[in-house]
Every structure is written in structure tokens, then in C-alpha cells.
Amino acid sequence: MACWRLGHGGLRAARIALFSALAFSALSCGAHAADTLYVVAKVSVDATDKDAVAAKAKGMKAAELDALNVVLKRLMPVSAYAQLPDLSQQGVEELISSVSIRSEQNSATRYIASLDVSFNSEAVKQLLDSQNIPYSEARAEAISILPLVLDGGAVKSEGAWPQAWEDLDRAHSVTPATILKPRPDLTAETVKSVLGGDAQAFALMQADYSYAPLVIAVGEAGEGGKFVTRLVGADSVGPINYGHTDSFNGSAKEVARQAAAVAFGIVENRWKVTQTPAPTEAPAAGSEGGAEQTPKTGAVADVPRNVQAMVQFTGLKDWQEIRARLMQVAGIQALEVNALSARAASITFDYAGSLGKLQADLSQSGFAFDEKDGTFVLRSK
């Protein structure tokens, strides 16, 4: 059965009447655009209204808008997200080329479904051009992701966290990814060594899977919707060592889904940053060449920047505590460990703000951050 093409500005009632018939052709419909950025797969719908028809219409409307935002954010640099256009429902529909239903169920007042939404690539690009919004269709090398849960001394690959990664639409991302299952002989000790920055342990683990690049995604649910995420390994950009604690609302399954989406977004954004030309900063008044000031001499414009520093510590436990605290400093993202020795670690991270502000934020978190012989040095006070 051929995919239905949804005409621009078509009547919603006519479209809804056809959706059920499309359910049986979802696989064949999606095949033609398996690797395009303009398809959003596995869009969740859960809507309630006065009756089944109204609930379905409401759910479809929200799903289409959500899918469009996903496509636009794939194409746009993060710095341009504030320019996302506010379209009417008709405007959204005019960009859609087809919708297929993976699954659906309904009651008298509720509609639940999973959809694939395809957009007209030329229409989307025309929209972005008309708004003077930058975008890129460049895609990264495919990567592999190994989602894990550490439960005491055991490694688990089942449950809400691994399933959340399976449910992501990775095939149409700017960073296509394959989800792996852990080998039976993988131990918690090996995973903890990799998380601790042991390059040899990661190299051996990567060799076991014969996949490169490989990102190990460890998730841990806490109380009150808190979720701790660690991404360690190498993605299409290079080495990655990211950790963060987020707070989400919902069931354990929904919290895991949100955390996985945020973590995968980090991987996508790392790639997108490499495709976005760096902005040219105007020289500051009274300066020569607009050179960036160090933490000792004050702040400059609050723009995203990459910071490299040497961390000093007394031992492994001290290092682990310092790294955990660094991941809680507001504004620090994508922290990576480049090298690790018995008493020092070379790290890089992104920080959206001036270096003077970074020094103040680190000081409030109990760190000293200074410049020594041209190198930033960070240590606990």
C-alpha cells in the first residue's frame, strides 16, 4: 500500500479519517526516508478530550507540532533555538508530507498512539531561509551507544534506562546511533574504571565490542525524579566525558525517557557545534585585537567557550569528589577528561559565560581557579 500524501492545508477531519487505514502501511511508508533528517519517528501521542474523535484530533495536532520542533532543532544550531518560528496549525500542516501510524489505541475519551511524521524538506528549508535562521544538513559518522545500569556489583542492560535509548529516534538524527547490549562477561568493576577515566580499560572494552566510536551511557535513578547520567567514551566528535543530574516529573519510565533524550541531545549538539562557524567577537573598548581576558583580569562578553584546565588533587578519591562537584557547577557542560595521572587531570568543558564569571562560580562551589604559566589550574580550596 502506498503512503498517503497529506495535501497542504488539507481538512483535518479528512486526514483523521484516513489515519487508521495507514496503520497497516507504517513500515512500508517509513522505508523511503529511512535516513533523512526530515522524518521524526516514534512520536508519542496521549490525549484526552470530550470524546474519541476530539481526543484524536487534539493528539494529532500536538504530535505534529512536536515533530516539527524536533526537525527544526536538528537542523539549527543551539544558539538559534530562540528564533524558532511560532507557526499556526495550518502552517505546520503545510510543511507535512505524510504521517504513518505505528500503533494506536483509544477509549471513549482518550487516544494513545505512536506516529512517524515526514516533512517536505524544501518547504522546511524555505521556512528557515525566510526567517534568516542558519541551518545545516551535515550528518556525523554513525556511533554505537551502550546503555547500562550499575546495580551494586552487577551490570544490568534491562529496564527503563536501556529501553529509553531503544525508543529514541536515532536513525534520523544528525548523529545516527546503534544501541548495543553488554557482553555477559562485562563487570561493574570494568565500567567503574572507565567512568573513573581509565583509558586502558576503555580501550579494552571498546575492542571487545569492535565498534568505534563507542559511548557508554550509565543511568541511575534517584529520589524525587532526579536522574544521574554519565556519558563516557568517544562519539563522532572525539572523547566524551559528560555527567549531569537532572530533575524530571513522571513515572520511572518517563523520567528515564526524558533523561535519555537530554543525553542524546548532548551528543547531537557536540556534533552541531563543529558545523557552526565560531562567531567573530568585536574588540573590547581599550583593548588590542579583542583578546579574551583571563579570570584574573575580569569578564568579557558572555559567549559559549571551551575551557581547558589542569585539575590538581591528592588522590583518586579526591579526584572523584572534585569531578562530581564540577558536574554540579551551573553552566559547565560536556566535561571531558583528556589525561589522568596520580595527582592531576587535564580536562576540557564548555561554559556559556565569561571566564571571570566562571572563576566566581567555581569559587562559590569551593574551587580555586587561577592561571599559571599560561595554563588554567583548578583545585579545591
Side-chain angles (χ1 to χ4, degrees), residues 343-365:
R343 294 291 184 270
S346 172
I347 66 171
T348 56
F349 56 84
D350 294 334
Y351 182 77
S354 69
L355 292 175
K357 184 174 184 298
L358 172 60
Q359 184 183 39
D361 289 345
L362 287 171
S363 178
Q364 292 178 0
S365 298

Side-chain angles (χ1 to χ4, degrees), residues 12-13 16 19 43-66 89 93 109-113 115:
R12 173 167 295 279
I16 293 174
F19 282 147
V43 181
S44 297
V45 180
D46 190 346
T48 302
D49 213 313
K50 61 182 180 180
D51 55 45
V53 173
K56 191 168 189 177
K58 179 180 178 181
M60 290 294 183
K61 178 179 178 180
E64 290 169 358
L65 180 57
D66 288 345
Q89 184 58 32
E93 291 181 8
T109 58
R110 188 180 182 187
Y111 178 72
I112 301 174
L115 312 176

Side-chain angles (χ1 to χ4, degrees), residues 278-308 349-359 369 371 374 376:
T280 302
E281 296 184 43
S287 68
E288 296 182 4
E292 187 176 87
Q293 299 178 27
T294 67
K296 284 189 173 181
T297 58
V300 291
D302 285 353
V303 295
R305 67 190 72 240
N306 186 262
V307 180
Q308 183 171 358
F349 56 84
D350 294 334
Y351 182 77
S354 69
L355 292 175
K357 184 174 184 298
L358 172 60
Q359 184 183 39
F369 184 63
E371 186 269 339
F376 291 123

Side-chain angles (χ1 to χ4, degrees), residues 84-313:
L84 279 171
D86 186 12
L87 297 179
S88 65
Q89 184 58 32
Q90 180 178 348
V92 174
E93 291 181 8
E94 289 176 347
L95 299 174
I96 295 174
S97 59
S98 66
V99 176
S100 38
I101 297 179
R102 289 173 171 256
S103 63
E104 65 177 350
Q105 54 182 307
N106 61 275
S107 66
T109 58
R110 188 180 182 187
Y111 178 72
I112 301 174
S114 177
L115 312 176
D116 291 353
V117 184
S118 300
F119 292 87
N120 183 306
S121 60
E122 292 305 316
V124 172
K125 286 186 281 188
Q126 287 177 13
L127 170 66
L128 293 171
D129 287 335
S130 70
Q131 302 289 323
N132 294 319
I133 298 176
Y135 63 89
S136 172
E137 296 178 290
R139 304 185 76 187
E141 174 188 359
I143 66 173
S144 297
I145 298 176
L146 178 62
L148 301 171
V149 175
L150 294 180
D151 185 9
V155 176
K156 293 188 175 181
S157 62
E158 304 296 334
W161 178 242
Q163 187 60 49
W165 284 91
E166 292 282 2
D167 292 342
L168 291 173
D169 182 16
R170 295 164 281 102
H172 304 106
S173 169
V174 292
T175 54
T178 299
I179 300 301
L180 304 181
K181 296 287 186 180
R183 292 165 57 95
D185 58 351
L186 178 62
T187 65
E189 288 73 19
T190 297
V191 176
K192 290 178 181 178
S193 294
V194 173
L195 294 177
D198 189 328
Q200 183 176 7
F202 173 69
L204 292 173
M205 189 172 176
Q206 190 172 35
D208 284 341
Y209 288 89
S210 299
Y211 284 94
L214 171 66
V215 176
I216 300 166
V218 178
E220 180 182 2
E223 297 180 356
K226 292 188 179 298
F227 200 96
V228 181
T229 304
R230 290 292 311 278
L231 301 178
V232 178
D235 60 6
S236 55
V237 175
I240 181 172
N241 191 327
Y242 169 85
H244 203 263
T245 300
D246 296 290
S247 296
F248 302 106
N249 296 319
S251 64
K253 179 179 179 180
E254 181 59 26
V255 167
R257 287 172 62 92
Q258 294 178 72
V262 170
F264 192 50
I266 294 297
V267 175
E268 291 178 310
N269 289 337
R270 279 166 53 87
W271 164 254
K272 288 165 65 174
V273 166
T274 68
Q275 305 304 303
T276 305
T280 302
E281 296 184 43
S287 68
E288 296 182 4
E292 187 176 87
Q293 299 178 27
T294 67
K296 284 189 173 181
T297 58
V300 291
D302 285 353
V303 295
R305 67 190 72 240
N306 186 262
V307 180
Q308 183 171 358
M310 184 65 65
V311 182
Q312 298 177 343
F313 47 84

